[in-house]
Amino acid sequence: MAEFLIIVVALFFAGMGVYGLALPARLVAPFGLTADSATARAEVRAVYGGFGVAVAGLLFFAAFDAHGIRSVAAVTVAVALLGMAFGRIVAALTDRPTRFYPVWFYFVVEIVLAGLLLCAAVLGS
């Protein structure tokens, strides 16, 4: 079961990463951001694309507990996701985004994925 939970999260990161590498401007458009220069697209490709692919790779190794990293990798990525969700709470207190999508939609996604990884860490230990 732990393997399945981690793979679900890994697939999310893989999808985000590949999408960020291939279509950086489209990835950030729902947030009202424009990646209209080579520098901006490079940043999106690095932060969403490369990071997403790297995290997916780490989680795929963790799913099969390669070198005993399952729990540590799962908790580490869960904490990163919770940090992103925390940033959205700060945004709610300061800027007050009003639409559910994309801010609160991704808040829910981050909380759910973090929960899956924390469950996997407990089940896998």
Side-chain angles (χ1 to χ4, degrees), residues 28-113:
V28 297
F31 296 95
L33 301 171
T34 57
D36 55 1
S37 70
T39 302
R41 287 186 298 276
E43 185 66 9
V44 174
R45 283 184 170 113
V47 174
Y48 290 92
F51 179 77
V53 169
V55 169
L58 173 67
L59 289 174
F60 281 123
F61 277 105
F64 300 102
D65 207 21
H67 303 289
I69 67 166
R70 176 180 291 151
S71 292
V72 172
V75 169
T76 300
V77 176
V79 168
L81 286 161
L82 292 172
M84 291 192 270
F86 175 75
R88 294 182 197 284
I89 292 170
V90 171
L93 297 173
T94 57
D95 295 325
R96 303 199 191 281
T98 56
R99 298 180 339 202
F100 177 75
Y101 184 82
V103 174
W104 298 116
F105 173 80
Y106 284 106
F107 173 81
V108 171
V109 168
E110 290 153 1
I111 295 295
V112 168
L113 295 181

Side-chain angles (χ1 to χ4, degrees), residues 2-13:
E3 297 88 357
F4 174 76
L5 296 176
I6 294 172
I7 288 172
V8 167
V9 180
L11 289 171
F12 172 82
F13 274 100

